[in-house]
Amino acid sequence: MSASGGPSLARRLVQLYGGLVLYGVSAGLQLRAGLGLAPWDVLSQGVAGRTGLSIGTVSILIGALVLLLWVPLRQRPGLGTVSNVLVIGLALDATLTLAPAPGSLWVRIPLLVLSIVLGAVATGLYITPRFGPGPRDGLMTGLHRRTGRSVRLVRTCIEVVVLATGFALGGSVGAGTVLYAVGIGPLSQFFLRAFALPERPERHRPKAPEGPREPRDTAVAVASSAATAREVPDLV
């Protein structure tokens, strides 16, 4: 805690970068399990197979391209957004370098489950410091605001297109893909609550003379509350 009662900047940064590294590790372990990947990793693997680049490098390039799509959507990146693009890809490649591929199915199945749980833990860690959404989450929320469609529908459409494209390029789709789709939402919601940081208390200000409250004041209060709620995307 900082002196003002809110979470310190150092704690938030540790949580952000720890979560991003762990997310890259979880993606690498899921790939090593060899039972199917998450949709965006299917795309990264498919592109990597066609280009000869490492999957971590492709992940970084795709993240940068997705970030460009923020421009017409008028989304604003934060420190967490840019860090997401770089750190996850680097951690993914490092994990693949250090972790050998298991041969036994009885090792690969627990490794798959572990990777999905770690991915959910990582999601809770890197989102709750509120340094900005990742490029893919920002694309989702940006399209939601521009189209008026629900977050769930927009997210589903994006991931179906990404998954189909990755599969067409040779990415790995399997039981792990299905298990990830089913498990990552509920698990992420659990860890988002578990790692939630306390809100910084408002500084004491002298009370202004009371008067009739304008409708605009109520609208501003509601908009501020809604903006805070939108900072953590719906992951279910």
Side-chain angles (χ1 to χ4, degrees), residues 12 27 61-62 83 86 112 123 143 154 156-157 223 226 228-229 231 235:
R12 293 172 64 213
L61 294 175
I62 290 176
S83 299
L86 297 172
L112 170 65
T123 298
L143 287 173
V154 171
T156 299
C157 290
T228 301
E231 290 181 8
L235 293 168

Side-chain angles (χ1 to χ4, degrees), residues 147-162:
T147 64
R149 303 296 182 181
S150 70
V151 171
R152 291 170 189 257
L153 177 61
V154 171
R155 182 185 180 94
T156 299
C157 290
I158 291 173
E159 300 215 348
V160 166
V161 170
V162 166

